[in-house]
Amino acid sequence: TSLYTICEGENASLAVTLSPGTTVQWFTNANGTGSPVSTSNPYVVSPTDTTKYYAFASNGICLSTNKLEVTVNVLAVPAVPTGTGSYT
């Protein structure tokens, strides 16, 4: 499991190391079912909420039985300070 922490509006670049002859397929479900959300390596994401991504290796026909779970934790941007200022 890997963890990235970003602020709202920022990007995270998710990258994996693969065996020769394989590619990565990224999913947002832990089962690796349906269509992958990306096959890019690195995969650049900009989620608005904390999101888990799952990387499976593919040989073009089969997906790996194990996966890498990557969590991108999104923090809210702090509010602008308010108040009055003075200078001397």
Side-chain angles (χ1 to χ4, degrees):
T1 300
S2 295
L3 174 67
Y4 292 81
T5 299
I6 61 173
C7 292
E8 286 177 309
E10 292 182 342
N11 298 329
S13 181
L14 314 181
V16 296
T17 302
L18 297 163
S19 300
T22 61
T23 59
V24 65
Q25 292 193 9
W26 292 97
F27 292 85
T28 52
N29 68 72
N31 297 326
T33 55
S35 296
V37 293
S38 180
T39 56
S40 297
N41 191 25
Y43 174 36
V44 178
V45 298
S46 28
T48 55
D49 293 309
T50 296
T51 305
K52 289 185 180 187
Y53 299 91
Y54 302 91
F56 290 83
S58 172
N59 63 7
I61 298 171
C62 305
L63 288 180
S64 57
T65 54
N66 293 320
K67 63 197 171 276
L68 172 68
E69 179 182 302
V70 180
T71 301
V72 179
N73 186 31
V74 180
L75 301 178
V77 174
V80 175
T82 59
T84 58
S86 62
Y87 58 91
T88 57

